[in-house]
Amino acid sequence: MTEQSDPSCAHPRPTAASTGAGEGTPGAPPTAALRPLGEHRTWPRDFTDRLTAPLPGVRALARLARDGKLRPAAATLHEITELPVAPAPLPPADPGTLSLTWVGHASWIVRVGPVTVLTDPVWSRRILATPPRITPVGVPWAELPPVDAVLISHNHYDHLDLPTLRRLPPGTPLLLPAGLARWARRRRFTHVTELDWWEKVELHGVTFGFVPAHHWSKRTPTDTCRSLWGGWVITAPDGRRVYFAGDTGYGHWFEEIGARHPGIDVALLPVGAYDPRWMLRPVHTDPEEAVRACRDVGARAMAPMHHGTFLLSGEPPMEPLRRVRTAWAAAGRRREDLWDLPVGASRVLAPPPVAAS
C-alpha cells in the first residue's frame, strides 16, 4: 500500500528543467532523443524534489490504523464474489494488431503485433504485508508467449514483484525508472535500461516513453525516493498509443503528458486503493479523478486497473467499478470507450484508418 498525507503542503510544480528531462517548456512537444538501451547512468542520491505532496508522518499512520481503514469493512467482503473474472485465450498476435489483456491489479499484457510487453507484472498469490489476491491471475504463466519487454512504474512491492520477474529469462529487457538499474543488475538481470521523466527508448520498433506520476517510491526502511516513479506511453510503429499510468494521484502532470504525447488511444488508469481520501488522495486517483485524468491526457478510451485484485485500502471491493461506470456516464463519454475488463479478458485496439489515395 502507498501512503501520503494532506496535499495542502505540496511542493511547487516541477518544471522540465528541474526534472533534468531536457524537454523545454511545459506543453511543448517531445524533443528528447532516444536513449540507448542498457546504458549505465549516474543519478542524484534521491528524487525527493519530484514529490508533489509530502510523505506521511507517524501521526498519519496511527490515525489510519485507529480509523480501521487498512482494509474494507468485513460486511462488504461478500462483494468479492461479484468481481468480474473471465479468463480467455490471448488474441492472435497478427501484424498490425494491438491488444490489451488485464492480468489483474496493474499487470497487463500488451501485444503490439508480435511484440509482447508486460506492465508491473505480479503473478504472485500474495505480496509483502498484504492479504492474498482475491481474484485469480488472469492469464496462467504457462500460457504467456515469450516476453519481449517489461515495464516497471515504481518499486512498491505490488508493482515490482521479484518472484514474478525471476520467472523470466535474465536477458529479458527491463525498462525501469531512474535509480532502479542497480537493483536489477544485482539480481542478475542483464538487459536493463532506466529512464528519467520524458525520456524514451525504442525496442523492436516500439517506442516506450517514461512520463511523470504523482506518487513516490520506497522498498526498504532506508531507500525512500531513492528511485523514480512514473508511467509509460507505448507507441506502436503505426502511431497508435497506449498510456499506462502506473500508480498515481490526480494532478497537473496528466495535461502535460497529453500535450507531449498527443493522440493517446487508450489510457490504463488506476481506480482503486483510494480510501481514506485524507491520506491517499495525493498518490491514488479515485474513480472520478481517473475519468478526469483520461480527459486530461486526451485519451479516447479508458481501461480501469488497480482494483479487484489486492485489498490495499478501505473501500468495498466492488465500489471502484460502480463509481467509475457512473463517473464515465456523467462525463458524457461513450459506454463502449470504457474498457472495464474482467480479470483475464482482452480488448483489441482497432488499427488506424487507411488514408484515401
Side-chain angles (χ1 to χ4, degrees):
M1 186 174 77
T2 51
E3 306 154 339
Q4 288 197 349
S5 57
D6 186 347
S8 61
C9 299
H11 295 280
R13 172 176 174 166
T15 65
S18 71
T19 64
E23 278 278 46
T25 58
T31 57
L34 290 170
R35 302 293 310 193
L37 292 165
E39 66 177 325
H40 287 249
R41 306 179 68 178
T42 301
W43 301 107
R45 176 177 172 80
D46 65 57
F47 296 90
T48 304
D49 62 324
R50 308 291 184 92
L51 292 171
T52 47
L55 296 176
V58 174
R59 288 184 180 180
L61 298 175
R63 177 182 171 186
L64 182 69
R66 184 178 66 248
D67 291 350
K69 289 290 191 177
L70 291 170
R71 303 287 181 263
T76 69
L77 296 182
H78 67 89
E79 293 184 0
I80 290 174
T81 61
E82 302 174 33
L83 292 168
V85 177
L90 295 175
D94 299 324
T97 294
L98 199 165
S99 67
L100 305 170
T101 303
W102 190 38
V103 178
H105 202 52
S107 302
W108 293 85
I109 303 167
V110 183
R111 306 190 83 185
V112 185
V115 179
T116 297
V117 180
L118 303 183
T119 69
D120 289 358
V122 180
W123 261 254
S124 298
R125 180 173 175 268
R126 67 184 309 154
I127 53 177
L128 185 68
T130 300
R133 59 197 309 148
I134 57 175
T135 49
V137 176
V139 178
W141 189 262
E143 296 181 11
L144 274 180
V147 175
D148 297 291
V150 173
L151 308 182
I152 298 295
S153 64
H154 65 297
N155 72 350
H156 288 150
Y157 282 88
D158 58 322
H159 294 259
L160 178 59
D161 183 50
L162 183 57
T164 297
L165 292 181
R166 280 183 165 154
R167 294 186 178 195
L168 295 163
T172 303
L174 304 185
L175 304 185
L176 306 172
L180 271 180
R182 179 181 295 182
W183 178 93
R185 292 184 179 120
R186 284 178 173 175
R187 285 150 184 85
R188 301 186 179 179
F189 294 101
T190 60
H191 196 325
V192 178
T193 303
E194 54 186 346
L195 296 181
D196 200 347
W197 289 346
W198 308 122
E199 293 181 340
K200 56 188 177 179
V201 294
E202 185 176 303
L203 186 64
H204 304 302
V206 181
T207 302
F208 301 92
F210 190 54
V211 296
H214 297 274
H215 207 62
W216 65 304
S217 68
K218 183 182 180 72
R219 199 167 176 87
T220 73
T222 61
D223 70 348
T224 302
C225 295
R226 294 288 180 88
S227 61
L228 200 49
W229 52 91
W232 293 90
V233 176
I234 305 168
T235 305
D238 61 14
R240 285 175 294 172
R241 280 183 166 158
V242 175
Y243 166 48
F244 168 68
D247 229 353
T248 182
Y250 181 76
H252 63 268
W253 285 126
F254 293 113
E255 289 187 359
E256 189 161 346
I257 291 166
R260 292 171 182 257
H261 295 277
I264 293 172
D265 293 279
V266 58
L268 315 181
L269 287 160
V271 300
Y274 52 78
D275 185 27
R277 296 311 287 148
W278 63 264
M279 186 169 192
L280 293 172
R281 177 176 284 110
V283 292
H284 286 166
T285 50
D286 65 21
E288 294 78 16
E289 290 168 334
V291 171
R292 291 201 293 274
C294 183
R295 173 205 63 196
D296 292 349
V297 299
R300 175 180 61 80
M302 169 182 161
M305 64 175 183
H306 207 266
H307 71 97
T309 309
F310 298 106
L311 298 178
L312 300 177
S313 57
E315 73 273 3
M318 275 293 295
E319 185 178 281
L321 266 183
R322 289 194 293 260
R323 284 176 54 175
V324 76
R325 289 166 177 167
T326 299
W328 191 259
R333 305 295 295 263
R334 300 192 312 164
R335 180 64 181 88
E336 58 267 33
D337 290 336
L338 179 63
W339 296 7
D340 47 344
L341 299 179
V343 173
S346 302
R347 191 79 175 256
V348 176
L349 185 65
V354 178
S357 57

